[in-house]
């Protein structure tokens, strides 16, 4: 893919920042408003897909190389499980226990504040990274199906 | 014997390792497979220690009506052990076998994801989580069937994926209907609701959807079209996993858990189960006998053996719902579950031997093989033991489970059904005599003069399963083993709707 | 009765899977079934309240009382949030399986040069 016209390129180079920021907002406010890790991650991936459509595949791949994306994918998923296991250690043997909420941050759990809900925002961030990386990988791999990449991406 | 393994580890350990493995590059590939073997070995040890426990685990300290819970009872422990044995053998085998393919770390990662999904299905205490884990296991298995990326693999993977997705949608629809009718997703709470109010039209509809969905996953006969394509096309260790445990954990286990413990048994449902079982038994065996592709023959015989399991479970349900003698019910159930375990062991052994033969000779067409008895001694003896087991020759494990099934059918007065069971067993014997005749006996073809057997871990995996085939008869003969391993599982299912009370009480006792 | 319309949509998807010959159309049929189920799950959360039900998000305003906890008014008017969580999960799963399915379709097209399943028949018996 060569990319589109100059108009599309200019507009999407402005918009990509906004889309990226909106994705971050959705992830960070996931515990307060509709949204969360998955939806925010999709929007983050969307900003890269915008680049891919407007500037062509090579440009998008320069911005987020494939190996880095796949490593990010694995690391984020691993951190998610590690966080759940931390809940196991701090929460008297309970997997996924929200240990930050109950013990370490007891003063700031008023509903509606940004810093509240304990470990849930952290889970959201990891999920967001994971979804963004893997969705970007899926689109990239599918857009380049002639190259030697395996079709097993996108399982989660 | 007091190693108290927290239940989520069964799910979290393979999941974490699955995401860790792709981080290793090509240079450290040996290390990656070492970690994978270590993980399955650890799961095997954990599952041995999980016997005799009854535990309800509330994830995140949220108690039952609110949160997700994991339940470990007799049948879960039995399934966990089966999954761990087969996955341990399969991953040992694939260590050498998968050198033929590229992207081994991706393979191992998908393999562990599949194990995660199956462990999750077996432990899950609410129906939506059961669906989620079912999807994890199925999606990983779709990808693994198409792993070779050749013509046949892709075609089989597409067929499997379409039918598998339809099955998942049936299950999800049924989950929705159950939630709409009972207002809960937790198995124990639904079961309590059913015990108090009975089965209304909506729940009966959901039950029909469940039977269609899980029947598709288990490849019972009217729904079996995908299995003979998907299982032979996968790499041999994956065929062993699919035929050995995946169809049982996703199909048989889920179906019997839903029918016995959640929605309750009744006479019509039991007849449906028995009919499905008998159809699979007879049609699977008759179709298998005409096959000339070794793995395809094994796949059809899987359908037939799954029929035995379903028949045992259905017979138990029938006796239970007719308020017959509970001893016969538990005998039939014992036969079904023991055959499930046995079939996992000998069918995965047969698939591994087929992989070994294919790797040495490059073909799996029975007519192109022959006279391999001296060239492949370990494979030959393993294959003979497994064939004897599956056909029900006395000292091996398959004999005991079939014997129990026949005795249960005769005791309950179903002489025709018992006769059909024996007949199918004879057909199976003929089928495997054919395999022995065409693969190991007869003339050695000219182009196979120079074949060598692959020793090492591949041979070890086969010997491990073959030894189990011989020793597993002890599970019924030796009383303490039977009580811990099998009777607990039988009772867990036959308790029926009392499951709700047990789970809810266990939660209160834990004081959370 | 709206529920039976969901079931009708589900059946249309199933018909599409069973009858169509094109791989992509089969994938579309599976997606139709999936969306029918998702629609059904969302509709399960429906409830009838006199002044209109609200989304189950306690974001502030009169839905939170002074202590910062959820008010009784909110509890009496919010729709059931659980099916919405279920739908989100099933969408995620659907995304994963869709990606894999499309990848398999593309790979098959590379190998066979066609999407017609009547011409993709190497496995028999």
């Amino acid at each position: 893919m060569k990319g589109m016209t100059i108009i599309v390129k200019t507009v999407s180079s402005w918009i990509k920042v906004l889309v990226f920021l909106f994705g971050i907002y959705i992830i960070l406010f996931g515990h307060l408003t509709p949204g969360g890790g998955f939806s925010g991650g999709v929007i983050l991936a969307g900003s890269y897909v915008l680049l891919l459509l407007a500037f062509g595949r090579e440009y998008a791949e320069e911005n987020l190389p494939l190996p880095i994306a796949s490593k990010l994918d694995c690391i984020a998923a691993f951190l998610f499980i590690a966080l759940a296991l931390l809940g196991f250690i701090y929460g008297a043997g309970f997997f996924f226990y929200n240990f930050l909420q109950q013990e370490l941050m007891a003063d700031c759990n008023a509903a509606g504040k940004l810093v509240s809900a304990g470990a849930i925002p952290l889970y959201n961030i990891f999920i967001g990274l994971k979804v963004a990386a893997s969705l970007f990988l899926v689109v990239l791999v599918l857009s380049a199906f002639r190259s030697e990449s395996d079709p097993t991406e996108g399982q989660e | 014997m007091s190693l108290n393994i927290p239940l989520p580890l069964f799910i979290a350990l393979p999941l974490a390792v699955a995401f860790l493995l792709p981080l290793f590059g090509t240079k450290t590939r040996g290390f990656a497979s070492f970690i994978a073997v270590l993980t399955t070995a650890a799961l095997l040890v954990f599952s041995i220690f999980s016997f005799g426990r009854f535990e309800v685990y509330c994830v995140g300290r949220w108690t039952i009506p609110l949160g997700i819970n994991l339940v470990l009872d007799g049948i879960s422990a039995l399934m966990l052990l089966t999954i761990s044995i087969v996955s341990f053998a399969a991953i040992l085998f694939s260590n050498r076998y998968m050198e033929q393919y590229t992207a081994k770390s991706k393979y191992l990662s998908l393999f562990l994801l599949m194990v995660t999904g199956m462990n999750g299905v077996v432990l899950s205490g609410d129906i939506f989580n059961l669906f989620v884990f079912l999807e994890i296991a199925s999606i990983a298995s779709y990808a693994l069937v198409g792993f070779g990326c050749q013509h046949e693999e892709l075609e089989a993977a597409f067929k499997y994926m379409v039918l598998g997705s339809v099955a998942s949608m049936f299950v999800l629809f049924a989950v929705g209907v159950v939630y709409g009718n009972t207002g809960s997703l937790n198995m124990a709470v639904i079961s309590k609701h059913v015990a108090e109010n009975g089965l209304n039209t909506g729940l009966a509809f959901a039950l029909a959807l469940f039977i269609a969905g899980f029947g598709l996953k288990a490849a019972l006969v009217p729904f079996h079209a995908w299995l003979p394509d998907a299982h032979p096309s996968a790499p041999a260790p994956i065929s062993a996993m699919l035929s050995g445990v995946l169809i049982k954990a996703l199909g048989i286990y889920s179906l019997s858990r839903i029918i016995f413990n959640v929605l309750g048994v009744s006479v019509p449902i039991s007849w449906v189960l028995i009919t499905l079982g008998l159809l699979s038994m007879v049609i699977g065996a008759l179709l298998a006998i005409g096959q000339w592709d070794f793995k395809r023959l094994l796949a059809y015989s899987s359908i037939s053996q799954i029929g035995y399991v379903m028949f045992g479970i259905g017979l138990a349900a029938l006796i239970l719902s007719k308020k017959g003698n509970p001893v016969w019910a538990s005998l039939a159930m014992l036969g079904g579950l023991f055959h499930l375990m046995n079939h996992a062991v000998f069918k995965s052994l047969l698939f591994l031997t087929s992989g070994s033969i294919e790797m040495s000779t490059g073909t799996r067409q029975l007519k192109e093989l022959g006279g391999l008895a001296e060239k492949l001694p370990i494979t030959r003896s393993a294959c003979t033991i497994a064939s004897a087991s599956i056909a029900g020759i006395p000292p091996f494990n398959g004999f005991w489970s079939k014997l129990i099934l026949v005795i249960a059918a005769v005791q309950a007065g179903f002489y025709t059904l018992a006769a059909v069971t024996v007949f199918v067993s004879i057909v199976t014997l003929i089928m495997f005599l054919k395999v022995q005749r065409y693969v190991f006996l007869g003339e050695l073809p000219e182009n196979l003069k120079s074949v060598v057997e692959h020793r090492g871990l591949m041979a070890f995996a086969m010997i491990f399963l073959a030894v189990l085939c011989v020793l597993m008869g002890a599970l019924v003969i030796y009383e303490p083993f039977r009580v811990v391993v099998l009777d607990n599982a039988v009772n867990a299912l036959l308790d029926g709707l009392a499951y709700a009370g047990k789970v809810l009480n266990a939660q209160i006792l834990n004081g959370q | 009765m709206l529920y039976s319309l969901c079931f009708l949509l589900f059946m249309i998807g199933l018909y599409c899977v069973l009858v169509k010959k094109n791989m992509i159309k089969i994938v579309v049929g599976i997606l139709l079934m999936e969306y029918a189920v998702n629609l059904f799950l969302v509709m399960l959360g429906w409830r009838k309240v006199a002044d209109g039900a609200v989304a189950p998000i306690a974001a502030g305003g009169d839905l939170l009382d002074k202590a910062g906890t959820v008010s009784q008014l909110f509890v009496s008017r919010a729709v059931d949030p659980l099916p919405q969580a279920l739908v989100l999960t099933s969408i995620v799963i659907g995304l994963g399986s869709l990606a894999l399915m499309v990848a398999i379709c593309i790979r098959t097209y590379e190998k066979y040069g066609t999407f017609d399943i009547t011409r993709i028949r190497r496995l028999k018996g």
Side-chain angles (χ1 to χ4, degrees):
Chain A
M1 277 191 285
K2 276 273 177 63
M4 294 188 182
T5 59
I6 183 86
I7 302 173
V8 179
K9 282 185 178 171
T10 317
V11 172
S12 51
S13 65
W14 294 341
I15 287 181
K16 72 181 185 206
V17 185
L18 292 179
V19 174
F20 198 83
L21 273 178
F22 185 63
I24 292 176
Y25 163 78
I26 292 280
I27 292 179
L28 287 185
F29 283 73
H31 55 295
L32 300 176
T33 54
F38 179 71
S39 347
V42 172
I43 297 171
L44 282 188
S47 73
Y48 278 99
V49 174
L50 189 69
L51 281 187
L52 190 146
L53 291 177
F55 291 91
R57 227 190 79 222
E58 290 74 21
Y59 186 82
E61 237 185 295
E62 269 170 36
N63 268 279
L64 184 60
L66 241 153
I68 292 187
S70 81
K71 287 221 163 51
L72 186 65
D73 184 13
C74 294
I75 291 173
F78 182 72
L79 282 176
F80 181 85
I81 302 165
L83 193 62
L85 282 173
L86 273 184
F88 189 76
I89 294 163
Y90 285 105
F94 281 90
F95 199 61
F96 271 112
Y97 182 64
N98 195 343
F99 56 99
L100 287 175
Q101 169 86 6
Q102 265 79 3
E103 270 117 45
L104 302 178
M105 292 165 65
D107 345 337
C108 43
N109 50 16
K113 294 274 168 50
L114 179 58
V115 183
S116 61
I120 292 175
L122 292 179
Y123 285 123
N124 271 340
I125 289 170
F126 293 146
I127 284 288
L129 284 178
K130 154 99 188 135
V131 169
S134 58
L135 204 59
F136 175 68
L137 273 177
V138 166
V139 174
L140 203 63
V141 167
L142 288 185
S143 75
F145 65 87
R146 277 184 211 290
S147 66
E148 275 308 306
S149 44
D150 74 327
T152 55
E153 297 294 345
Q155 21 72 30
E156 54 205 49
Chain B
M1 292 288 274
S2 62
L3 191 62
N4 238 2
I5 308 294
L7 296 186
L9 266 191
F10 282 110
I11 300 163
L13 184 67
L15 191 61
V17 177
F19 285 120
L20 208 57
L21 285 179
L23 294 177
F24 292 110
T26 42
K27 282 177 193 163
T28 46
R29 194 196 283 165
F31 189 57
S33 32
F34 177 67
I35 292 184
V37 171
L38 215 61
T39 312
T40 47
L43 286 177
L44 183 58
V45 174
F46 291 172
S47 58
I48 290 172
F49 280 109
S50 68
F51 276 104
R53 280 165 69 196
F54 181 82
E55 197 173 316
V56 180
Y57 188 97
C58 303
V59 177
R61 221 186 237 180
W62 293 97
T63 47
I64 270 185
L66 298 175
I68 294 166
N69 65 319
L70 304 175
V71 180
L72 175 72
D73 58 6
I75 174 110
S76 306
L78 181 93
M79 292 303 298
L80 276 179
L81 181 67
T82 315
I83 293 168
S84 311
I85 287 174
V86 176
S87 60
F88 178 64
I91 213 155
L92 277 182
F93 190 85
S94 48
N95 214 349
R96 173 75 186 81
Y97 186 82
M98 292 310 288
E99 300 288 321
Q100 308 172 64
Y101 296 80
T102 50
K104 195 175 167 198
S105 62
K106 284 207 175 76
Y107 164 81
L108 290 172
S109 157
L110 283 170
F111 187 98
L112 287 173
L113 268 180
M114 196 163 82
V115 174
T116 309
M118 282 188 286
N119 280 350
V121 165
V122 165
L123 283 176
S124 163
D126 73 287
I127 48 176
F128 189 72
N129 258 297
L130 193 141
F131 166 74
V132 171
F133 285 120
L134 182 120
E135 278 290 80
I136 291 176
S138 329
I139 292 179
S141 70
Y142 307 147
L144 282 170
V145 166
F147 200 75
C149 274
Q150 294 307 312
H151 290 80
E152 287 84 4
E153 276 104 339
L154 288 170
E155 187 188 335
F158 186 73
K159 203 170 179 181
Y160 179 30
M161 179 136 204
V162 168
L163 286 175
S165 305
V166 170
S168 307
M169 286 309 122
F170 274 121
V171 173
L172 184 58
F173 204 97
V175 169
V177 175
V178 169
Y179 180 71
N181 277 289
T182 61
S184 176
L185 288 170
N186 192 290
M187 287 185 192
V189 178
I190 296 168
S191 165
K192 199 173 157 203
H193 182 275
V194 171
E196 282 161 7
N197 302 322
L199 215 59
N200 60 11
T201 325
L203 288 176
F205 177 58
L207 187 56
L209 286 175
F210 272 130
I211 289 178
F214 291 131
L216 259 168
K217 291 275 182 200
L220 295 168
V221 147
F223 314 109
H224 70 290
W226 58 270
L227 189 141
D229 290 342
H231 287 194
S233 302
I238 295 307
S239 314
M241 283 296 278
L242 294 179
S243 256
V245 284
L246 192 88
I247 50 177
K248 303 197 184 74
L250 264 51
I252 302 287
Y253 165 81
S254 318
L255 188 57
S256 35
R257 174 69 94 194
I258 295 278
I259 286 182
F260 279 88
N261 290 151
V262 179
L263 295 177
V265 288
S266 58
V267 178
I269 291 298
S270 332
W271 276 113
V272 169
L273 294 186
I274 291 181
T275 317
L276 285 176
L278 278 180
L279 275 178
S280 317
M281 220 150 90
V282 177
I283 296 179
L286 292 181
L287 285 174
I289 207 161
Q291 298 299 321
W292 289 101
D293 180 331
F294 189 13
K295 282 174 94 176
R296 210 175 174 79
L297 186 147
L298 293 181
Y300 273 113
S301 119
S302 275
I303 298 176
S304 158
Q305 303 297 315
I306 277 293
Y308 272 102
V309 179
M310 204 68 247
F311 170 68
I313 291 171
L315 195 62
L318 183 66
I319 300 170
L320 196 68
S321 55
K322 276 187 169 172
K323 304 269 184 293
N325 190 337
V327 179
W328 303 340
S330 61
L331 199 64
M333 183 62 94
L334 183 83
L337 292 181
F338 189 46
H339 197 70
L340 183 153
M341 224 174 156
N342 291 339
H343 179 245
V345 173
F346 54 63
K347 187 47 65 68
S348 41
L349 178 54
L350 280 169
F351 268 114
L352 293 188
T353 55
S354 83
S356 166
I357 292 169
E358 193 187 354
M359 201 169 163
S360 295
T361 64
T363 181
R364 51 181 206 235
Q365 297 299 322
L366 292 178
K367 281 180 177 165
E368 294 170 18
L369 296 164
L372 291 171
E374 281 168 16
K375 294 280 179 187
L376 310 172
I378 297 177
T379 312
R380 195 263 158 104
S381 29
C383 187
T384 312
I385 291 175
S387 307
S389 286
I390 197 171
I393 309 281
F396 300 107
N397 54 4
F399 167 70
W400 300 106
S401 46
K402 288 188 182 178
L403 183 70
I404 294 172
L405 275 177
V406 173
I407 292 176
V410 169
Q411 292 264 311
F414 298 104
Y415 299 110
T416 337
L417 300 186
V420 172
T421 318
V422 175
F423 167 71
V424 173
S425 191
I426 292 168
V427 175
T428 313
L429 181 63
I430 297 171
M431 179 156 81
F432 281 93
L433 282 178
K434 174 181 160 185
V435 169
Q436 293 287 324
R437 156 76 182 76
Y438 278 95
V439 178
F440 297 112
L441 306 175
E443 287 279 304
L444 185 65
E446 203 52 45
N447 56 341
L448 297 181
K449 289 275 194 248
S450 58
V451 295
V452 280
E453 188 169 39
H454 294 276
R455 301 288 172 89
L457 285 177
M458 273 170 77
F460 177 72
M462 287 190 283
I463 294 170
F464 171 65
L465 287 178
V467 168
L468 276 181
C469 269
V470 180
L471 294 183
M472 265 170 66
L475 279 180
V476 272
I477 305 167
Y478 185 54
E479 176 94 19
F481 279 169
R482 198 189 72 216
V483 169
V484 172
V485 178
L486 289 168
D487 284 357
N488 271 341
V490 169
N491 292 337
L493 281 184
L494 288 184
D495 273 348
L497 299 180
Y499 169 80
K502 271 168 80 181
V503 170
L504 295 174
N505 285 337
Q507 186 189 231
I508 293 162
L509 287 179
N510 285 355
Q512 287 125 22
Chain C
M1 276 308 98
L2 278 173
Y3 296 145
S4 55
L5 286 181
C6 280
F7 191 64
L8 187 67
L9 190 58
F10 185 82
M11 281 301 164
I12 291 172
L14 190 58
Y15 174 81
C16 181
V17 171
L18 295 178
V19 171
K20 292 293 170 189
K21 300 278 183 268
N22 188 316
M23 287 172 86
I24 301 294
K25 286 184 184 165
I26 292 177
V27 173
V28 170
I30 290 175
L31 291 184
L32 259 181
M33 289 170 77
E34 197 179 306
Y35 294 144
V37 177
N38 287 349
L39 185 64
F40 175 64
L41 286 176
V42 167
M43 275 167 43
L44 284 178
W46 181 82
R47 81 192 265 195
K48 196 172 181 185
V49 183
D51 340 329
V54 295
I57 301 156
D62 58 346
L63 298 178
L64 292 181
D65 56 22
K66 296 230 167 48
T69 51
V70 178
S71 70
Q72 204 56 46
L73 180 68
F74 177 68
V75 173
S76 67
R77 284 172 59 191
V79 299
D80 190 353
L82 186 64
Q84 306 191 357
L86 302 190
V87 167
L88 191 59
T89 316
S90 94
I91 287 175
V92 176
I93 292 171
L95 177 78
S97 66
L98 173 66
L100 183 61
M101 234 183 295
V102 171
I104 289 178
C105 286
I106 289 175
R107 277 308 181 109
T108 317
Y109 186 79
E110 274 179 20
K111 295 279 179 196
Y112 287 85
T114 177
F115 278 128
D116 188 349
I117 52 165
T118 52
R119 289 168 60 197
I120 305 174
R121 294 192 64 87
R122 288 214 178 176
L123 298 167
K124 282 199 194 108

